[in-house]
Amino acid sequence: MRLSETAWALVAILLLAGSLGLWAVLVAPEYLEVKPTGGSGAHPAGTTPSDAGARARAREGKVEAPKKNPGGGPAEPFSEDLKAAALAATVRVVNEATGAQGSGVIVKRREAFVYVLTAGHVAEGAERLELSTFSPASYPNPKSVYRATTVLARAPAADLAVLRLATTDPLPGVARLCPPDEEPEGAFPVLTVGCDGGRAPTCFQDKVLRKGLVHKPGTGAAGLYWEAERKPDRGRSGGPLFDRRGRVIGVAGGVGDGKGYYVHAKEVHDFLAKNGLEWLYEGDGAP
């Protein structure tokens, strides 16, 4: 898919709004057409489910708290178990109407249906999408591929969508949604997961710098977003943003000014409430 076909402007304009500290920026809700940024330091290479113990615990739906650094330093923000569980809950989404690829996260199973949260532009123009799950045992190959995933709800202005899949297959993982009144404040470490270039999901540690209003061209609307240090790579749109407790606090929406932008937990909650889907918060997220 060519970026020029659906992208909004990639020019970012950062405005400080007095003591409120709000900012406005134009972002591109596209499949994040940027060059991969591997390496070390603040932007390490992607993590894959390589630890056998973490794989087993992810299959059981268990996540352990981060362990202390053996060298005596501060604890690592994200344990291997949390990373494995985040990867297991992340899916690849292919829009068969456009051929574009994105990401999503499984947030609920109810009876014979599975519910996936993703970005609205990932589902643009499609009634059905292809969805691939990944288990620790199958990685980096898909565990299952489903070609009859339907769009249950979509909001272009909020850039969010919920997909529904009919299946009784066991799921590799299910993530928890963070209620809007429990999300972290200030600057804090986060884990972002997505399918770079349509490949298997990987996770990266990133840092949220702030939250603020994003004015989106063509919609006449503004929404609350997290601003993160790192630009997500192409294919990570719709992928989840996790806090230290392993809860989904955002959804990858676009890039601007060299930063990544994620739809805020409050926007997710409001979108679900407007579509009668607040019950997706019920339970602990276990399959």
Side-chain angles (χ1 to χ4, degrees), residues 4-116:
S4 60
E5 289 179 345
T6 60
W8 294 337
L10 281 174
V11 178
I13 305 172
L14 188 63
L15 300 174
L16 293 179
S19 60
L20 292 178
L22 297 180
W23 42 269
V25 64
L26 306 184
V27 298
E30 177 53 50
Y31 297 90
L32 308 172
E33 186 85 71
V34 296
K35 295 181 180 179
T37 53
S40 58
H43 305 313
T47 301
T48 61
S50 57
D51 176 74
R55 290 180 179 182
R57 288 185 287 276
R59 284 194 295 268
E60 296 169 3
K62 300 177 180 178
V63 176
E64 293 183 356
K67 298 178 175 60
K68 292 184 178 180
N69 190 323
E76 292 292 329
F78 301 100
S79 69
E80 292 305 312
D81 289 337
L82 192 153
K83 293 175 183 176
L87 286 164
T90 301
V91 300
R92 180 178 65 209
V93 180
V94 177
N95 187 328
E96 296 183 339
T98 63
Q101 297 178 333
S103 306
V105 59
I106 300 173
V107 294
K108 190 73 173 180
R109 148 159 272 164
R110 175 180 272 191
E111 298 176 349
F113 292 104
V114 174
Y115 298 85
V116 173

Side-chain angles (χ1 to χ4, degrees), residues 8-10 25-34 119 121 159 214 216 225-228 230-233 236-239 251-263:
W8 294 337
L10 281 174
V25 64
L26 306 184
V27 298
E30 177 53 50
Y31 297 90
L32 308 172
E33 186 85 71
V34 296
H121 65 273
D159 198 19
V214 171
K216 293 168 285 187
Y225 275 67
W226 300 111
E227 179 190 36
R230 179 174 183 168
K231 292 193 303 184
D233 296 333
R236 296 179 81 88
S237 238
V251 174
V255 299
D257 197 28
K259 302 294 192 298
Y261 291 89
Y262 297 80
V263 183

